[in-house]
Amino acid sequence: MLTLTCPCCGVTAEETEFHAGGEAHLTRYGPGSDDTEFEGYLFMRENPKGVHFERWRHVYGCGKWFQVARCTVTLELFGAYPAQTTRPPQALQDTITAKRPGWSWNDIA
Amino acid sequence: MSTRLATGGRLINTDAPMRFTFNGKVMKGYAGDTLASALLANDQMLVGRSFKYHRPRGIVASGVEEPNALVNLGVEGKFEPNQRATTTELFDGLLATSQNHWPSLEFDVGALNARLSRFMPAGFYYKMFIHPRPLWKHVYEPFIRQAAGLGQAPKGRDADSYEHFYAFCDVLVVGAGIAGLMAAKSAADAGARVLSLEQAPQGGGRAPVDGGQVDGVPVDKVVDQLVSELTEMPNVTLRLRTMGAGVYDHGYVLGYERLTDHAPDQPGPRHRLWRIKAGQVITATGAIERPLSFAGNDVPGVMLASAVRDYIVNYGVSPGDRVAVVTNNDDAYRTAIAVKKAGLDVPVILDARVLPEDSPLMAEARAAGIRVMMGHGVASVMGGKRVTGIGVCAQAGEGAVLEEIGCDVVAMSGGWSPVVHLWSHCGGKLQWDSDYAMFRPDVHKAPVGGDGAAFVRTAGAANGHFGLHEIVGDGHACGGLAAKATGHTPRKTDAPQGDSPSEAPLAQVWIMPQGAGKTLRAKAWLDYQNDVKVSDVQLAAQEGFESVEHAKRYTTLGMATDQGKLSNINGLAILSDALDQPIPQTGTTTFRPPYTPISMGAIAGEARGAVFQPIRRTPMHDWHEANGADWEPVGAWRRPYAYVRQGESVHDAVMRETRNTRENLGLLDASTLGKLLVKGPDAGRFLDMLYTNMMSTLKPGKCRYGLMCGENGFLIDDGVVARIDEDTWLCHTTTGGADSIHQHMEEWLQTEWWDWQVYVANLTEQYAQVAVVGPNARAALEALGGMDVSRDALGFMEWADGTLGGFDARVYRISFSGELSYEVAVRASQGQAFWDALMAVGDSLGVMPYGTEALHILRAEKGFIMIGDETDGTVIPQDLGLHWALSKKKDDYLGKRAHVRSHMADPDRWKLVGLETLDGSTLPDGAYAVADGTNANGQRNVQGRVTSSYHSPNLGKGIAMGLVHHGPDRMGEVIEFPGTDGKTYQARIVSPVFYDAAGEKQDV
């Protein structure tokens, strides 16, 4: 039972108040993309042992989507940030580096 | 025999006698007894039969680890099987019966299995019941089902109530033994909010039985003092009869409180599930004694040494007159001394160790006149349903009996295992301690919380400390550290000083005697409930089940209701020995919550009956209820399936409603359909992305049927979209899709096109919506009076605002039936009044309400698809002949890219057609059409399936839709559908539009 804090409304609540929405920072590929690009967008997902970026929605609260950086091994939360960005904020990346030197995720860090 | 002692029993009140019944026999006990202690006081050592061999089973333990004394409790609505007698508090009138025997506990036919035991080794069922294959379903499975399980499942509805309870604290202490009490006190003294849970009805744990002093005060007095201090403190909540059941991520803990099990006449819920969010969790859960593995260690009367001591000290019960003690450690000497002090006989202490000198406890035992035989063990146990004596052997030998000693109880101790369950639930790691032969928490690898810091600590015996001095100090320190971790400042007080005799080290003894041969090993039990012996684990290792998890499942070791609390460590030591590897390399099986079984009622809490799930009701719900609605659940809504009249079947009602709607006038409560308002400068652009067809070009005042696909191309929803004004659209969704499509829209707006200016509001419950359908629909609205609903003023697929019969109304001229049809939306608060008005004016026009089944038949007659019938998450618009709804003008919409994937564009996909049986019967819904030949699994090939099937009263025959391989190219062809009723249906492939193909009826 994770405890998450919604960066939109500021409420700290149990996992059951939220809904997990899968991997963050996917790039959408639409008509005109080739099969490999579209397959990657539709199906291929990171499955890291360690630092992960994922989407959550505060479904029984303010209703807003946001993004979370989390360790899949220890369930440590590094931080949450708004959904309206294509990359994790630099400050958050620095926080993660301090705690997990040498981390990388997809094409980040 | 076992009996009540004249004196002693710190937990019982001899002024409060109680009567209870066991297997129909009335017995006597006292307030404060457990069922187990009361049974022993009545000389009832035999309490059950084991699972596989139906061996006689006696009480072994005194706490939650008891594997044998499982009984049925209560009757009818209060019946519950598999209750542990050792944790069942006695109350006046308690009814208990033993389990797993026929015809009686004393004489059990199933015990024949025991004679066959040498033919039923580990994996017997796997080996025996696999061939011949066909026997499985009709012979083996019914036989195994009959044999499976110990107690009987309750049949009646549970008469009790249950509840959930939410709690928050800084420091949660699980266990109120001396370590837990110390921890709670020091955390509370630092100012932390403390919640302390204890599974037993009293605090103190083992300390008052084991004795010793803290700061010069006897430990039982210290316990009383701590309990009373904690009870007084405003920042402490102490709950007895409440078990810490499981520790989960980020400090979430489940507690299980048994409120009225001991007092069934008391009002209120029976069990309470505590849902706790704790800053820090301290597991002060104590330790459990291990049995020793010697031949005959399952005969009733062979007990844990600590349990023998508990029954004497706590309940004033003598388990037997002559107690032989067998041990590999000092602790069991306490039992010998307690037995002697109670005036009973200890003929011998068999100590497997050979020590250079006596420890203080050993010296005390010898001084009490007890015979101690070092380096000796038990070779055999005499007796069937009760121990009558033991054969003594040298531990170092192969089991030659040197001497027989008469006794009626064997008190055994193989050392202690810390209760590491809660520590392990959430990822805490263990380390092997070879001095004490046990796994203990590795405090450097504790479970971590959301901040990356440890949130579980462990104290006392649960942390692998066994001297009173260490336990008290550990508890005190642990409480302070937990308080500090939650932002409090512990007082700088010295830890109280515990004092107890020093103990000599234990010897690792996993089999007794050390050289026990095959015959002895096949009689040395590890798991008493499931009948797993030393020889079974060795066989598993020999047959290649080397992983401890595999060996567990192959032998069923530790799979009984006690989940291996007694057997696991002994079993994995045997496995390690068989594999010739150190114990830590073998490791433990996974510790999973709950710690002991908790009731299903507590898990459900209040969520049963009417409050299981709230029901959504339309404004006209009560009218439907009063007018014969046969309800159909649709999501959380209830919709009338049909309105059944007196003397009519549901089917009759559906037929009547379907006919009447085509012939006269039908009313449908369509309020449940989703109504999403999409507004903003970018709303048109947004809807063009969400729908496969073009919505931005829709003119205000017009309606358009739209399809929605997910990004993977499959259909997810459909419905009519109305353009309200320049920047506003109203999107109708399916009933089930209202919330999910709203969320779907929000997801895209928030996470992909967040710079688009669009706002979505879910107005579903703001409107009551009525479909007014049939040839008399216009006449009905005209009779209400108000806005012009003529063909010229309000054409097909148009909408208008106005008034009808004085109601503010928005009227959509749309049809899901093929009839002349209006869907009228009014304010939800006006829904019932508007419905009444329609019924009144409809009276002379042949009005009848119709339900969801008539709606389905009407749409199927027209070949209209239904999301969830024709679609199942694998169907694309092209499969359903809906190419016309796929915009070719748009560069992009959700699903467009996916529709050109090779499998989607494959001409071999199954496609929508109508199906008509040759004899007019109705095809079974979901039936598959068979094709020639078989597939790789030897199953018949298939070429299509039925997606919707009804009897059409208007056409007087069965009609169906289905997806068929190359279907639209095979019109007129007859294909076969074998039904599950044994009949084969022959159906002709036809157009899916069965009624009014030209669409004249709706456009009048």
Side-chain angles (χ1 to χ4, degrees):
Chain A
M1 182 72 82
L2 306 182
T3 302
L4 300 170
T5 300
C6 171
C8 177
C9 67
V11 162
T12 298
E14 286 181 357
E15 192 178 335
T16 47
E17 197 166 301
F18 300 87
H19 187 79
E23 182 178 326
H25 306 302
L26 292 178
T27 302
R28 180 171 184 264
Y29 284 92
S33 56
D34 65 34
D35 281 354
T36 311
E37 288 167 333
F38 192 64
E39 180 198 29
Y41 160 55
L42 213 50
F43 302 115
M44 305 311 277
R45 295 293 181 267
E46 296 293 317
N47 184 21
K49 186 176 180 180
V51 177
H52 192 37
F53 296 89
E54 59 194 1
R55 309 188 312 154
W56 286 82
R57 181 172 184 240
H58 194 185
V59 62
Y60 296 113
C62 67
K64 291 291 186 268
W65 284 91
F66 59 96
Q67 298 175 125
V68 169
R70 185 174 67 94
C71 176
T72 60
V73 178
T74 65
L75 308 186
E76 180 175 357
L77 299 169
F78 303 114
Y81 53 103
Q84 292 77 32
T85 176
T86 54
R87 285 182 88 79
Q90 190 56 49
L92 176 61
Q93 294 188 40
D94 294 344
T95 302
I96 298 169
T97 303
K99 294 186 169 193
R100 300 283 190 280
W103 69 281
S104 72
W105 184 84
N106 207 334
D107 61 345
I108 298 171
Chain B
M1 63 181 290
S2 64
T3 185
R4 184 81 65 180
L5 294 163
T7 57
R10 52 180 285 271
L11 298 179
I12 57 166
N13 177 5
T14 50
D15 295 331
M18 290 176 165
R19 287 186 179 281
F20 69 101
T21 310
F22 179 73
N23 284 349
K25 199 169 145 195
V26 177
M27 297 181 174
K28 207 181 109 183
Y30 295 114
D33 260 327
T34 63
L35 178 57
S37 67
L39 286 169
L40 286 175
N42 287 274
D43 196 23
Q44 187 71 47
M45 176 64 86
L46 177 66
V47 286
R49 294 271 174 174
S50 65
F51 181 66
K52 191 169 165 189
Y53 303 141
H54 291 240
R55 302 255 308 173
R57 286 289 177 253
I59 295 166
V60 169
S62 58
V64 297
E65 68 274 31
E66 173 62 41
N68 291 343
L70 302 179
V71 295
N72 300 311
L73 283 184
V75 288
E76 293 171 354
K78 289 186 175 276
F79 174 83
E80 202 167 23
N82 294 336
Q83 295 305 294
R84 287 178 305 279
T86 50
T87 57
T88 299
E89 290 175 65
L90 196 67
F91 57 86
D92 207 36
L94 180 148
L95 283 173
T97 54
S98 52
Q99 303 181 154
N100 207 39
H101 51 69
W102 185 87
S104 74
L105 177 60
E106 283 72 24
F107 177 77
D108 176 28
V109 169
L112 279 173
N113 284 359
R115 302 271 174 88
L116 304 172
S117 66
R118 111 190 136 81
F119 305 109
M120 296 170 72
F124 168 74
Y125 294 96
Y126 301 117
K127 291 164 183 162
M128 181 63 203
F129 294 124
I130 195 158
H131 294 294
R133 288 283 186 180
L135 282 187
W136 172 253
K137 191 173 170 61
H138 298 292
V139 180
Y140 298 150
E141 189 185 344
F143 169 78
I144 288 174
R145 280 196 186 281
Q146 181 60 35
L150 283 169
Q152 294 294 315
K155 290 199 174 65
R157 200 180 160 81
D158 192 335
D160 288 298
S161 65
Y162 302 85
E163 69 180 20
H164 285 187
F165 191 79
Y166 292 81
F168 302 86
C169 60
D170 295 322
V171 178
L172 173 73
V173 185
V174 182
I178 187 68
L181 291 170
M182 282 289 169
K185 184 65 166 53
S186 68
D189 282 342
R193 277 184 309 163
V194 175
L195 176 58
S196 172
L197 307 181
E198 169 54 49
Q199 63 187 0
Q202 68 283 322
R206 295 209 54 79
V209 176
D210 292 351
Q213 295 190 333
V214 178
D215 288 343
V217 181
V219 71
D220 54 332
K221 297 284 182 293
V222 175
V223 165
D224 292 346
Q225 178 68 23
L226 280 169
V227 168
S228 93
E229 281 174 17
L230 289 169
T231 309
E232 293 298 312
M233 291 178 83
N235 55 333
V236 177
T237 305
L238 172 63
R239 300 302 295 190
L240 302 173
R241 301 188 174 93
T242 308
M243 173 186 69
V247 173
Y248 304 85
D249 306 334
H250 290 193
Y252 184 72
V253 179
L254 285 186
Y256 174 64
E257 183 170 18
R258 302 201 294 159
L259 291 152
T260 64
D261 278 351
H262 65 293
D265 296 332
Q266 197 174 295
R270 177 169 170 242
H271 296 155
R272 178 183 285 151
L273 192 73
W274 286 64
R275 306 179 66 167
I276 304 160
K277 203 80 194 183
Q280 290 274 303
V281 178
I282 296 175
T283 65
T285 44
I288 289 176
E289 194 170 30
R290 293 190 295 260
L292 282 167
S293 302
F294 52 83
N297 64 350
D298 72 322
V299 177
V302 179
M303 302 173 72
L304 293 176
S306 58
V308 171
R309 191 154 87 232
D310 284 342
Y311 287 115
I312 292 171
V313 177
N314 283 336
Y315 307 103
V317 167
S318 149
D321 303 338
R322 286 167 65 79
V323 180
V325 176
V326 53
T327 184
N328 66 344
N329 63 78
D330 264 20
D331 187 61
Y333 285 78
R334 291 193 173 91
T335 297
I337 294 162
V339 170
K340 200 78 182 170
K341 274 188 186 157
L344 302 163
D345 187 27
V346 180
V348 71
I349 297 175
L350 300 175
D351 193 327
R353 299 173 293 180
V354 179
L355 296 170
E357 60 185 44
D358 281 2
S359 67
L361 278 165
M362 295 164 75
E364 190 181 343
R366 283 194 209 268
I370 299 170
R371 179 184 176 199
V372 179
M373 295 176 74
M374 302 304 287
H376 286 79
V378 176
S380 59
V381 175
M382 276 80 84
K385 289 172 194 161
R386 185 70 204 248
V387 172
T388 58
I390 51 172
V392 176
C393 64
Q395 169 62 16
E398 291 177 2
V401 175
L402 307 173
E403 181 182 350
E404 287 187 359
I405 296 179
C407 61
D408 55 359
V409 167
V410 179
M412 61 181 166
S413 179
W416 290 78
S417 297
V419 174
V420 295
H421 299 64
L422 284 111
W423 171 268
S424 303
H425 283 168
C426 198
K429 298 284 182 272
L430 303 176
Q431 58 181 350
W432 177 250
D433 182 328
S434 53
D435 288 346
Y436 285 91
M438 66 184 181
F439 282 102
R440 66 194 300 172
D442 183 345
V443 294
H444 302 295
K445 291 177 183 168
V448 298
D451 58 359
F455 76 91
V456 182
R457 290 163 199 279
T458 177
N463 192 18
H465 296 297
F466 292 104
L468 187 59
H469 180 71
E470 290 80 12
I471 287 174
V472 166
D474 196 35
H476 178 82
C478 188
L481 288 171
K484 196 173 171 194
T486 57
H488 298 85
T489 311
R491 287 191 198 165
K492 287 203 171 62
T493 48
D494 290 336
Q497 297 294 306
D499 184 25
S500 56
S502 65
E503 296 182 21
L506 109 175
Q508 291 194 27
V509 174
W510 304 116
I511 180 81
M512 179 175 273
Q514 191 185 307
K518 205 172 168 186
T519 318
L520 292 184
R521 293 199 308 266
K523 288 181 190 163
W525 258 255
L526 294 167
D527 187 318
Y528 299 108
Q529 192 182 121
N530 276 1
D531 286 317
V532 182
K533 298 152 294 170
V534 168
S535 53
D536 293 318
V537 174
Q538 289 169 331
L539 180 65
Q542 191 185 324
E543 293 185 356
F545 295 90
E546 299 182 355
S547 151
V548 64
E549 298 283 9
H550 290 160
K552 167 181 170 171
R553 282 151 186 84
Y554 191 58
T555 60
T556 72
L557 174 82
M559 286 169 66
T561 56
D562 64 315
Q563 288 286 290
K565 288 188 179 64
L566 289 187
S567 59
N568 262 0
I569 302 296
N570 287 348
L572 64 90
I574 297 291
L575 183 64
S576 302
D577 179 61
L579 298 172
D580 199 19
Q581 67 187 20
I583 289 172
Q585 194 178 321
T586 304
T588 64
T589 52
T590 308
F591 296 92
R592 292 192 178 86
Y595 173 56
T596 65
I598 67 177
S599 63
M600 293 303 288
I603 294 168
E606 301 87 344
R608 54 193 277 192
V611 294
F612 177 70
Q613 188 188 36
I615 290 175
R616 296 176 80 178
R617 298 158 195 267
T618 73
M620 292 82 99
H621 185 96
D622 292 344
W623 190 93
H624 304 324
E625 178 81 51
N627 285 273
D630 186 66
W631 293 109
E632 178 184 28
V634 184
W637 297 98
R638 292 291 176 275
R639 298 190 75 184
Y641 180 85
Y643 299 82
V644 184
R645 292 179 175 177
Q646 197 95 42
E648 195 180 48
S649 72
V650 174
H651 178 75
D652 294 342
V654 170
M655 295 297 117
R656 171 177 55 71
E657 292 168 7
T658 310
R659 268 195 308 270
N660 187 69
T661 306
R662 289 250 183 264
E663 289 163 10
N664 299 300
L665 178 61
L667 295 187
L668 175 82
D669 182 355
S671 308
T672 60
L673 289 180
K675 296 171 270 290
L676 306 177
L677 193 80
V678 180
K679 191 176 177 66
D682 293 311
R685 179 187 180 195
F686 176 60
L687 292 179
D688 279 348
M689 285 303 295
L690 263 84
Y691 284 93
T692 61
N693 25 15
M694 189 81 96
M695 289 300 170
S696 56
T697 56
L698 189 63
K699 299 270 182 294
K702 298 282 187 188
C703 301
R704 183 170 289 163
Y705 172 73
L707 295 178
M708 271 191 207
C709 292
E711 192 69 306
N712 56 16
F714 300 120
L715 273 165
I716 57 171
D717 210 76
D718 69 347
V720 172
V721 177
R723 186 159 188 181
I724 307 300
D725 60 32
E726 191 50 37
D727 69 351
T728 314
W729 282 254
L730 188 110
C731 304
H732 287 103
T733 73
T734 59
T735 294
D739 295 309
S740 61
I741 297 300
H742 179 211
Q743 294 187 12
H744 175 67
M745 290 181 172
E746 281 293 333
E747 181 177 349
W748 286 101
L749 281 175
Q750 291 183 33
T751 67
E752 187 69 25
W753 304 307
W754 60 75
D755 53 335
W756 294 11
Q757 294 182 56
V758 183
Y759 183 78
V760 182
N762 186 349
L763 303 182
T764 302
E765 293 185 342
Q766 308 304 313
Y767 293 101
Q769 197 146 319
V770 184
V772 184
V773 182
N776 296 338
R778 184 172 290 134
L781 298 193
E782 284 169 351
L784 283 174
M787 59 194 286
D788 187 350
V789 293
S790 67
R791 180 178 184 171
D792 293 340
L794 187 59
F796 186 56
M797 295 306 271
E798 292 178 359
W799 67 272
D801 281 337
T803 61
L804 282 173
F807 295 90
D808 289 332
R810 175 169 288 168
V811 183
Y812 305 89
R813 184 116 184 255
I814 54 180
S815 178
F816 195 42
S817 57
E819 292 300 318
L820 173 63
S821 165
Y822 299 85
E823 287 203 14
V824 186
V826 299
R827 279 187 205 98
S829 58
Q830 299 292 302
Q832 184 58 56
F834 183 66
W835 180 274
D836 291 341
L838 276 169
M839 288 300 291
V841 298
D843 198 34
S844 59
L845 299 168
V847 70
M848 284 182 199
Y850 68 97
T852 52
E853 187 63 2
L855 167 141
H856 272 270
I857 298 175
L858 292 167
R859 66 95 192 170
E861 288 174 345
K862 285 291 295 175
F864 294 148
I865 64 130
M866 181 71 94
I867 296 292
D869 283 318
E870 276 63 47
T871 71
D872 63 356
T874 68
V875 172
I876 58 177
Q878 292 87 337
D879 298 339
L880 303 180
L882 295 169
H883 302 79
W884 56 268
L886 304 173
S887 169
K888 293 197 174 59
K889 293 181 196 152
K890 294 193 289 185
D891 291 337
D892 193 6
Y893 55 81
L894 299 184
K896 185 176 168 79
R897 172 62 182 84
H899 289 159
V900 300
R901 295 178 66 213
S902 57
H903 181 59
M904 303 294 200
D906 187 347
D908 267 347
R909 291 180 70 88
W910 291 2
K911 299 208 161 150
L912 186 76
V913 291
L915 296 164
E916 207 173 70
T917 52
L918 300 189
D919 60 1
S921 61
T922 308
L923 277 171
D925 203 353
Y928 274 80
V930 289
D932 291 337
T934 55
N935 67 14
N937 296 322
Q939 299 157 325
R940 188 82 184 261
N941 281 330
V942 291
Q943 56 174 333
R945 65 185 162 87
V946 177
T947 56
S948 293
S949 181
Y950 309 93
H951 177 75
S952 161
N954 296 309
L955 302 168
K957 62 182 179 183
I959 59 167
M961 285 190 265
L963 295 163
V964 176
H965 189 219
H966 292 157
D969 305 328
R970 297 166 62 183
M971 288 294 157
E973 198 177 314
V974 175
I975 52 178
E976 287 190 347
F977 293 84
T980 50
D981 53 5
K983 216 176 123 181
T984 295
Y985 295 79
Q986 294 199 308
R988 179 172 287 118
I989 299 173
V990 296
S991 157
V993 186
F994 292 92
Y995 185 83
D996 185 25
E1000 288 164 350
K1001 285 201 81 181
Q1002 67 192 9
D1003 193 17
V1004 291

